Amino acid sequence: MTGPLAPAFPTVDYGAIAPVLIVLGGACVSVLLEALLPWRSRGRVQLGLTLTIVVVGLLAVIVRATSGAPAVTTLSGALAVDGPSLFLWGTLLALAVPSVLLLADRSVEPGGAFVADPIALGEAEEKERVAVGARSGGGSSGRARAGGSGGSGRDGSRNRRGRDAVAGQTEVYPLVLFALGGMLVFCAADDLLTMFIALEVLSLPLYLLCGLARRRRLMSQESAVKYFLLGAFSSAFFLYGLALLYGYADSVKLTDISQAAAGSLRPDSLLFGGLALLVVGLLFKASVGPFHTWTPDVYQGAPTSVTAFMAACTKVAAFGAILRVLTVAFGSTVWEWRGVLWAVAIVSMVVGAVLGLTQTDVKRMIAYSSVAHAGFLLLGAMAITPAGLSATLFYLLAYGFTTVALFGLVSLVRGSDGEATHLSAWAGLGKRSPVVAAAVTFLMLALAGIPLTSGFTAKFAVFSAALADGMTPLVIVALVVSAVAAFFYLRLIVLMYFSEPAADGPTVSVPGPFTTVAITLGVVVTLLLGVVPTAVLGWADGLSFLG
């Protein structure tokens, strides 16, 4: 049909959204392979496919960023592909590489860190299935076929589950890809409805991943339920805020909301009520206090590789969305909402530092550290200046690599019942494993913001941007909190080097090649961003949001 009555189909810039299409399309292919491939080859194929998708997506981002192509909105204005979007996409895909390697490592436990059968209620049942799988996998193919047919259907089912236990679960790969695809859309969404859909796409796979730990099944399942319930509440807040803003602006597009906020006769209660509810949903996902209550339990209960993925990538996506919403939609009303976010940032920093001092579990300590860092990041997000944007983007990149490497090291310290995360188990680690202790020390110093690490450069950039924008009291609070938080980082370092290891204490596992690469990549990037940060800072300096 042609002529004036022909339907107008929106043009789509496929080159601009190529990374999103690659990741989400690859996730769909991964689901099909999960259903069709035999169990013996499934793990290798899924791992290879996932890494290929992530690397190809990262290359697509690099090509787009270096091609000089203009910033565009596409898919009927649903996605804005601009400089910050490309930086955040590149950060997410770069962090996904070591995260996937940690997920795939099976050098410590047969079958990896993920439970073979999600209905297994405890570790004893899971170990039994591993043993059954080892026996069935080592026997003749005739016995395996006989066990899976005829009158021994129950034995066949147990054998299949046991084989999965030995081979390792591969459902984690499509789940990670769907979560990653949701994160890419979330931080580039130019309207609130697209942002909400992306929020659900990235959250639902994470809820499942948190409950799949092979060890400490009940704790893992409990963390997944807590994350799901609190996440549902935060999604409801986000959606309610979206409805109020739609009632105020007659649109869910960020630019339309900005125009309405600059001059509208409608009551401001709709505008600021919607903003408050919307920001609650975003702050929950970013682990900003006081909306952080899920973070310690989920970090502790989830498989450590999943915790690494969440701690790094989810924070990048959440703060990317916060930056876009505050800058594009509410930049003209900054003086109305900044005071509230000042209080939120102070609460987040203080809660993270003070409660971090009381923790005796390493993963919970890192969780509260992430809450304090979320407060630091909020300083840059509130600045609404080019310097604040570039500093926040750099901080997200630096923090992400440091966190992934640190959780990779945490997974190596193990006792008889799995990972030894209690602080007492780390006593004397410098004598048992000097290399691991040195890497942990370096990463802890980076989180504390010691010079020659990426943490120092990132904090200096964010604090400088906040000072330039008139937030001097907030920067003073941040400096005091940084000094307080440094205590629990140094406490772990002192414990590793100045305490005697227990005779029957935990051991440090020799990392497999995947974990070695992931940790090495995180440590090297943390060092390079602390010593020569100019290349990344220079790229981030010239970025601005479209709209």
Side-chain angles (χ1 to χ4, degrees):
M1 182 178 181
T2 59
L5 298 180
F9 294 100
T11 58
V12 179
D13 189 340
Y14 291 104
I17 60 172
V20 177
L21 297 178
I22 290 169
V23 173
L24 291 178
C28 296
V29 173
S30 182
V31 170
L32 293 176
L33 294 179
E34 188 66 30
L36 299 176
L37 286 178
W39 68 274
R40 291 184 183 277
S41 60
R42 193 186 304 154
R44 294 189 297 273
V45 173
Q46 288 281 39
L47 173 59
L49 174 67
T50 302
L51 287 176
T52 300
I53 290 168
V54 172
V55 172
V56 172
L58 181 58
L59 292 176
V61 171
I62 294 173
V63 169
R64 178 74 183 185
T66 57
S67 65
V72 297
T73 57
T74 186
L75 289 176
S76 299
L79 294 181
V81 183
D82 47 25
S85 293
L86 292 174
F87 190 100
L88 291 165
W89 285 359
T91 300
L92 286 168
L93 291 166
L95 291 172
V97 173
S99 299
V100 170
L101 291 176
L102 290 178
L103 288 164
D105 194 282
R106 294 181 172 87
S107 60
V108 178
E109 291 188 48
F114 297 95
V115 66
D117 187 0
I119 67 172
L121 297 180
E123 296 175 27
E125 183 180 355
E126 180 63 22
K127 291 177 181 178
E128 179 186 358
R129 285 174 182 168
V130 172
V132 170
R135 291 195 297 271
S136 63
S140 66
S141 59
R143 287 197 304 270
R145 286 192 297 269
S149 61
S152 54
R154 181 177 300 175
D155 292 339
S157 176
R158 291 181 65 192
N159 287 344
R160 284 192 296 274
R161 291 173 178 172
R163 289 197 298 267
D164 286 343
V166 175
Q169 288 302 89
T170 54
E171 292 92 340
V172 296
Y173 298 114
L175 289 174
V176 166
L177 287 175
F178 274 117
L180 183 61
M183 293 173 188
L184 296 179
V185 176
F186 189 58
C187 60
D190 202 39
D191 71 69
L192 296 179
L193 191 58
T194 302
M195 191 174 289
F196 174 74
I197 295 171
L199 175 64
E200 296 305 300
V201 172
L202 76 90
S203 297
L204 292 175
L206 293 178
Y207 300 151
L208 296 174
L209 288 169
C210 288
L212 294 180
R214 184 187 295 275
R215 302 278 189 158
R216 301 173 183 173
R217 294 288 299 130
L218 295 180
M219 182 183 293
S220 175
Q221 292 166 338
E222 179 186 356
S223 72
V225 171
K226 286 181 179 179
Y227 194 17
F228 170 72
L229 292 177
L230 294 175
F233 277 113
S234 72
S235 297
F237 277 109
F238 186 98
L239 195 58
Y240 196 9
L242 184 156
L244 292 180
L245 290 172
Y246 179 76
Y248 179 83
D250 285 335
S251 175
V252 293
K253 292 186 178 298
L254 299 182
T255 51
D256 293 342
I257 294 172
S258 176
Q259 292 172 4
S264 175
L265 298 178
R266 296 183 179 179
D268 287 344
S269 57
L270 285 176
L271 175 65
F272 295 113
L275 171 61
L277 294 171
L278 191 75
V279 168
V280 166
L282 294 173
L283 295 180
F284 171 89
K285 191 55 65 177
S287 301
V288 179
F291 312 102
H292 68 285
T293 51
W294 62 274
T295 310
D297 293 331
V298 174
Y299 276 36
Q300 184 182 23
T304 300
S305 53
V306 173
T307 304
F309 177 66
M310 283 195 308
C313 294
T314 305
K315 194 172 291 292
V316 172
F319 268 99
I322 290 172
L323 283 167
R324 185 174 296 277
V325 167
L326 294 181
T327 303
V328 177
F330 298 99
S332 60
T333 60
V334 60
W335 293 110
E336 281 80 2
W337 52 257
R338 176 175 281 184
V340 177
L341 288 188
W342 270 46
V344 171
I346 292 173
V347 169
S348 186
M349 291 185 289
V350 172
V351 167
V354 173
L355 294 185
L357 294 172
T358 66
Q359 302 305 308
T360 58
D361 184 275
V362 173
K363 293 173 73 173
R364 293 182 69 88
M365 185 186 75
I366 300 173
Y368 281 107
S369 168
S370 77
V371 176
H373 281 279
F376 301 147
L377 282 161
L378 207 53
L379 269 67
M382 285 189 291
I384 314 295
T385 60
L389 174 61
S390 63
T392 306
L393 294 176
F394 180 85
Y395 200 125
L396 291 170
L397 176 65
Y399 177 80
F401 274 102
T402 301
T403 304
V404 170
L406 185 56
F407 278 112
L409 291 165
V410 169
S411 68
L412 300 180
V413 183
R414 309 185 69 84
S416 58
D417 60 342
E419 293 171 354
T421 57
H422 195 277
L423 284 179
S424 61
W426 290 61
L429 186 67
K431 298 177 180 178
R432 291 201 303 268
S433 181
V435 175
V436 170
V440 171
T441 299
F442 176 70
L443 296 173
M444 285 290 176
L445 293 177
L447 291 178
I450 301 301
L452 299 182
T453 66
S454 62
F456 172 79
T457 309
K459 285 185 178 181
F460 183 83
V462 166
F463 294 169
S464 298
L467 280 173
D469 201 45
M471 292 187 277
T472 303
L474 205 55
V475 173
I476 294 174
V477 173
L479 290 172
V480 173
V481 169
S482 296
V484 174
F487 175 80
F488 57 79
Y489 301 132
L490 296 175
R491 178 180 61 180
L492 182 60
I493 296 172
V494 169
L495 193 64
M496 290 191 298
Y497 285 102
F498 298 99
S499 299
E500 291 297 325
D504 56 346
T507 60
V508 178
S509 301
V510 177
F514 294 155
T515 298
T516 301
V517 171
I519 294 172
T520 303
L521 182 61
V523 171
V524 169
V525 172
T526 300
L527 178 62
L528 290 178
L529 292 180
V531 178
V532 284
T534 51
V536 178
L537 282 174
W539 178 23
D541 277 340
L543 303 181
S544 62
F545 285 110
L546 186 64

